[in-house]
Amino acid sequence: MRMRASIVISRLLLGTLLSLNGIALAQSKSSASEKEVPNLPPGLDKRFLDTSADPCADFFQYACGNFSKYYPIPNDRPGYSAGAVLYDHNEYILHTMLEKAAAPGADRTPNQQKIGDYYAACMDSAAIDQKGLRPFQPELDRIAAIKDKKELTALLAHFQLINVNALLGVGEQQDFKDATKQIAAADQGGLGLPERDYYFRTGDAAEKTRQQYVQHITNTLKLLGESDSDAASDAKKIFELETALAKVSMDVTSRRQPQNVYHMMAVGDLQKLTPGLDWPQLLADADFPSVSEINVANPDFFRGLNPLLEATDLKTIKAYLRWQLVASTDSVALPKALDEEMFDFNGRKLHGQPEMQARWKRCVQATDRALGEALGQVYVAQEFPASSKAATLQMVHDIESAMDQDLDNLGWMSPETRARAKAKLHAIADKIGYPDHWRDYSKLAVQRGDAYGNAERAIVFENLREIVKIGKPVDRGEWGMSPPTVDAYYNPSMNDINFPAGILQSPFFDAKASDATNYGDIGGVVGHELTHGFDDQGRQFDGNGNLSDWWTPEDGKKFEEKADCTVKEYGNFSAVDDVKINGKLTLGENTADNGGLRLAFIALLADAKRKNIDLNQKQDGYTPVQQFFLGHAQGWCGNTRPEQIRLQVQTDPHSPRKFRVNGVVQNMPEFGEAFGCKTGQPMMPVNACRVW
Ligand SMILES: [Zn+2]
């Protein structure tokens, strides 16, 4: 249902800290809760430097080469990083808050009651195991009761409301072409592997993943009570059905183009694409208000879905629905055997993660997903001082002034386009820390001893909150991330940059570090989000958040040429084994990384001028310019398991961390100058790229 995020929001980190999509991450052995809250790494930590490496040959190695000596990858992680240390720090704090809120008899506020009971129910694995499959039974009965394909419509509508990824997706989004409107949308869906190309990619690794996936479906169906032979034959047919769905689905790279996922049409025309479903009934049963038009993100998918529905027998469709019902459930609420089966494929096989995370960690994450602003409200009051908000706001204003200045100095842009770019820049809303108005959860029922019910009610609550927006004015104060989140985002329809309180801490922002370090670090993060407004995707939206071409044709062409340099440059980086980075998929993020650090550098120069600081005078071993680049690099220190890198390269628009450092510094001659590199060395190539 949450379609907006999948279509347009550009994040800083998606998928780099945690496994994607709420997969199974835990099983508690020891009580890690008794440990101390982990210390945050400083903005610049000399212990991480590998001074035996040549910064001009591989700056990531120089800045982060010794990180893993202090922070090896824990067994319950697909990777570990400086950002993950901050994430862990936050998680311990949230955990303490939740333990307190969960204590029986405590004098609790209504929000504390909800987060405390949600967490307590999630932690009650004995109750979850004792109930076994019973919480699923009403859903399994609904599937079993279907006698005719005509009855699928009502079931799919219900499954949409409880986030079962069956065949398709419907939801709400801001209208790309009129950002004041909130509209209904229908999108492709129904795949169990991470992305459509997983069904077709050739090679041993891809083939092995598909075999493991079919085995995983088989195991899951057996745990639902099917015989060995039925489970195996159903799994094969389910995989065939998903492969056919994948065939008519759009790949993740094509989906980055807003025009590719925007096709407004009358509901009657959608009905003609997929006559096998009753669309007005599906929308009404999923509690949509009456709409005449809908954005059909991928019409080819809905055209292709119809013959598929006709050709697939009802028995297979019902087996597929049972499979997706379980696969779509947050496995922390599943009985142990199913939970472990989900982890084995999603965690171990796809991400290379040897062990599940402790249950308390998974329950902190589940509570954040379900009640993020209730948890966030308590978190912000305790952890986010007004001084952090003020310091961040100052940094944001510095970076925005830097962009203003950068636009004045861009030789290739015509005055016409420049004026419109400035208008867009000046219209960007800066959102820092937490929302001005907190979400009201009073109508969401949370009960101890009912983990599955709580999770389902929270999903329905959130989906109805989204759907009810259709046809209403846009609330520009709304946030798409909870306050404790260690991440940031730009939303082109809102034209806003958002920095949750969770990320506004060390190593990204370190009050004890030098100004230069912080400009390289949090300054680079702010610049990154700001540049998203002007990357290959963001530049297609204007200052009001509307998809409209405000570029002169010549300037648009020049932008494309410059962007093409970045596509080729990153497309040549080898991520793991024979897998190269997808230059087109990562273009927006790479543009934001490069433009962002350049803006931060311009802001650093302005700050030094104001304060009369000599940026080339060594302080504590490094000049401020060197500290700037080191601070930036160390925000990305970390190591990632090969399975995770492979998954990331195939699904995630962000480049692996090493290239978020090396790819950027090699495009900035200021880096080479600061570290005395010679032209032609890897970090100072002759053919550097620059968009912004
Ligand atoms: Zn980004």
Side-chain angles (χ1 to χ4, degrees):
M1 279 271 183
R2 293 167 196 178
M3 307 188 55
R4 292 172 313 147
S6 70
I7 294 181
V8 286
I9 291 180
S10 299
R11 296 174 159 220
L12 178 71
L13 291 164
L14 177 77
T16 56
L17 290 182
L18 280 177
S19 306
L20 294 164
N21 295 332
I23 61 154
L25 289 165
Q27 183 61 41
S28 174
K29 278 201 294 271
S30 63
S31 174
S33 59
E34 287 150 21
K35 287 188 201 154
E36 299 275 310
V37 174
N39 287 327
L40 296 176
L44 206 170
D45 192 330
K46 288 190 183 166
R47 294 177 308 161
F48 301 161
L49 301 175
D50 174 6
T51 50
S52 71
D54 178 358
C56 300
D58 182 348
F59 187 54
F60 182 73
Q61 179 62 28
Y62 181 83
C64 296
N66 284 334
F67 177 83
S68 63
K69 283 190 188 158
Y70 300 92
Y71 294 108
I73 304 177
N75 277 343
D76 67 352
R77 287 295 180 86
Y80 208 60
S81 62
V85 180
L86 168 57
Y87 181 92
D88 279 353
H89 171 90
N90 269 357
E91 198 164 66
Y92 273 81
I93 289 167
L94 295 172
H95 179 226
T96 311
M97 284 168 33
L98 286 170
E99 287 282 341
K100 198 173 148 212
D107 180 19
R108 302 183 294 174
T109 64
N111 269 350
Q112 281 171 328
Q113 179 268 317
K114 292 212 193 291
I115 59 176
D117 289 352
Y118 196 96
Y119 174 78
C122 178
M123 287 299 289
D124 192 353
S125 54
I128 293 169
D129 287 339
Q130 199 239 328
K131 286 187 184 180
L133 291 175
R134 262 183 289 145
F136 276 121
Q137 205 51 53
E139 308 302 342
L140 292 169
D141 291 346
R142 277 179 205 257
I143 297 170
I146 290 183
K147 301 276 180 298
D148 184 296
K149 285 183 191 170
K150 282 204 175 73
E151 294 169 32
L152 276 175
T153 295
L155 184 74
L156 289 178
H158 170 68
F159 273 10
Q160 287 298 307
L161 271 179
I162 60 170
N163 278 9
V164 177
N165 181 23
L167 295 175
L168 52 87
V170 291
E172 171 274 342
Q173 68 169 105
Q174 251 172 296
D175 188 338
F176 281 177
K177 295 208 170 158
D178 181 356
T180 64
K181 275 196 198 156
Q182 304 186 99
I183 57 170
D187 202 354
Q188 65 189 38
L191 305 184
L193 282 169
E195 208 268 323
R196 64 90 72 189
D197 286 350
Y198 270 75
Y199 293 84
F200 309 112
R201 205 173 268 117
T202 54
D204 291 347
E207 190 54 50
K208 189 174 160 202
T209 300
R210 285 191 286 270
Q211 281 167 10
Q212 289 170 333
Y213 180 58
V214 175
Q215 187 59 51
H216 169 49
I217 304 175
T218 309
N219 297 345
T220 305
L221 294 177
K222 279 201 272 188
L223 289 168
L224 286 182
E226 289 194 19
S227 71
D228 289 8
S229 61
D230 280 357
S233 97
D234 280 346
K236 198 168 155 280
K237 288 181 195 155
I238 288 167
F239 183 72
E240 281 165 11
L241 173 58
E242 287 191 6
T243 305
L245 285 170
K247 206 169 236 169
V248 290
S249 296
M250 200 185 292
D251 68 75
V252 67
T253 306
S254 308
R255 289 179 63 82
R256 285 196 64 252
Q257 279 307 317
Q259 300 87 345
N260 288 350
V261 289
Y262 184 77
H263 306 90
M264 286 300 287
M265 59 175 76
V267 174
D269 287 334
L270 173 56
Q271 183 63 45
K272 284 179 204 150
L273 291 179
T274 319
L277 296 173
D278 183 338
W279 276 98
Q281 188 207 335
L282 194 153
L283 294 173
D285 285 1
D287 274 333
F288 278 62
S290 169
V291 292
S292 54
E293 275 199 319
I294 184 164
N295 175 29
V296 179
N298 179 6
D300 286 344
F301 176 83
F302 290 101
R303 196 175 289 121
L305 178 60
N306 208 65
L308 249 173
L309 282 173
E310 279 172 8
T312 311
D313 61 86
L314 192 59
K315 184 176 172 290
T316 300
I317 293 176
K318 287 161 88 164
Y320 165 80
L321 293 172
R322 287 197 299 277
W323 151 245
Q324 280 295 349
L325 170 69
V326 179
S328 304
T329 302
D330 183 353
S331 53
V332 77
L334 293 176
K336 193 161 186 253
L338 272 172
D339 188 18
E340 285 183 345
E341 175 57 36
M342 291 293 146
F343 172 75
D344 183 61
F345 182 73
N346 293 319
R348 205 170 278 133
K349 304 238 163 62
L350 282 182
H351 292 263
Q353 181 179 323
E355 287 175 13
M356 279 199 213
Q357 286 196 323
R359 187 162 195 94
W360 71 263
K361 294 186 181 183
R362 304 171 69 197
C363 289
V364 169
Q365 292 155 18
T367 311
D368 182 54
R369 279 194 296 276
L371 290 152
E373 290 198 9
L375 184 61
Q377 202 171 350
V378 187
Y379 171 83
V380 162
Q382 188 183 308
E383 297 291 323
F384 191 60
S387 59
S388 292
K389 188 161 180 164
T392 308
L393 194 60
Q394 182 58 50
M395 178 64 82
V396 169
H397 289 155
D398 278 6
I399 303 290
E400 285 171 347
S401 311
M403 179 140 210
D404 209 271
Q405 197 186 322
D406 184 41
L407 283 168
D408 282 331
N409 296 331
L410 272 188
W412 58 270
M413 190 175 266
S414 70
E416 216 177 330
T417 308
R418 189 194 318 277
R420 291 185 195 141
K422 282 202 173 196
K424 174 162 185 179
L425 170 64
H426 298 150
I428 288 176
D430 307 323
K431 285 155 72 176
I432 293 159
Y434 54 91
D436 291 338
H437 302 287
W438 294 103
R439 208 162 284 175
D440 175 10
Y441 294 100
S442 57
K443 293 207 169 69
L444 171 60
V446 178
Q447 284 159 20
R448 283 181 183 248
D450 189 14
Y452 181 88
N454 289 341
E456 189 174 272
R457 282 188 294 274
I459 287 167
V460 173
F461 177 84
E462 171 60 16
N463 284 332
L464 292 178
R465 193 187 69 80
E466 292 280 339
I467 292 167
V468 86
K469 294 181 195 169
I470 295 167
K472 302 229 173 85
V474 175
D475 170 12
R476 292 200 168 249
E478 197 189 341
W479 280 66
M481 278 179 188
S482 74
T485 306
V486 183
D487 205 339
Y489 70 93
Y490 170 75
N491 179 345
S493 290
M494 291 280 202
N495 195 27
D496 63 4
I497 48 178
N498 303 257
F499 305 95
I503 197 174
L504 302 174
Q505 304 175 78
S506 195
F508 295 107
F509 173 67
D510 178 5
K512 294 194 206 87
S514 69
D515 287 348
T517 304
N518 280 323
Y519 273 102
D521 224 321
I522 191 71
V525 170
V526 171
H528 174 101
E529 299 308 335
L530 199 59
T531 307
H532 269 313
F534 304 88
D535 69 16
D536 63 312
Q537 189 181 61
R539 81 174 187 92
Q540 301 180 52
F541 293 80
D542 65 19
N544 294 323
N546 294 326
L547 187 62
S548 79
D549 191 1
W550 47 272
W551 294 62
T552 66
E554 304 80 62
D555 288 336
K557 197 161 163 273
K558 283 180 197 157
F559 179 95
E560 301 279 343
E561 283 164 16
K562 288 173 185 299
D564 197 46
C565 177
T566 308
V567 171
K568 293 194 176 103
E569 181 182 48
Y570 279 76
N572 274 319
F573 294 145
S574 292
V576 60
D577 304 333
D578 55 335
V579 184
K580 292 205 163 162
I581 292 181
N582 177 342
K584 279 210 165 108
L585 174 62
T586 56
L587 175 59
E589 295 300 334
N590 298 333
T591 305
D593 281 346
N594 279 272
L597 198 63
R598 174 165 297 282
L599 294 180
F601 192 77
I602 296 169
L604 170 72
L605 296 181
D607 183 65
K609 204 170 167 192
R610 270 196 308 267
K611 296 177 183 157
N612 210 9
I613 291 170
D614 180 357
L615 288 175
N616 297 308
Q617 181 76 40
K618 278 193 184 174
Q619 295 167 1
D620 198 18
Y622 291 97
T623 68
V625 175
Q626 289 174 329
Q627 289 174 27
F628 170 87
F629 287 109
L630 285 167
H632 174 71
Q634 289 205 337
W636 294 114
C637 281
N639 297 281
T640 312
R641 298 184 193 278
E643 294 88 342
Q644 173 70 13
I645 298 184
R646 186 178 288 275
L647 177 82
Q648 185 182 343
V649 170
Q650 291 170 356
T651 58
D652 188 332
H654 301 87
S655 294
R657 58 187 62 257
K658 177 180 169 186
F659 303 102
R660 299 192 75 169
V661 175
N662 287 355
V664 173
V665 299
Q666 72 176 55
N667 287 327
M668 283 183 78
E670 296 87 345
F671 168 81
E673 281 159 30
F675 283 88
C677 306
K678 295 188 188 72
T679 305
Q681 285 190 280
M683 298 296 106
M684 207 173 177
V686 269
N687 48 354
C689 299
R690 178 175 170 188
V691 178
W692 290 104

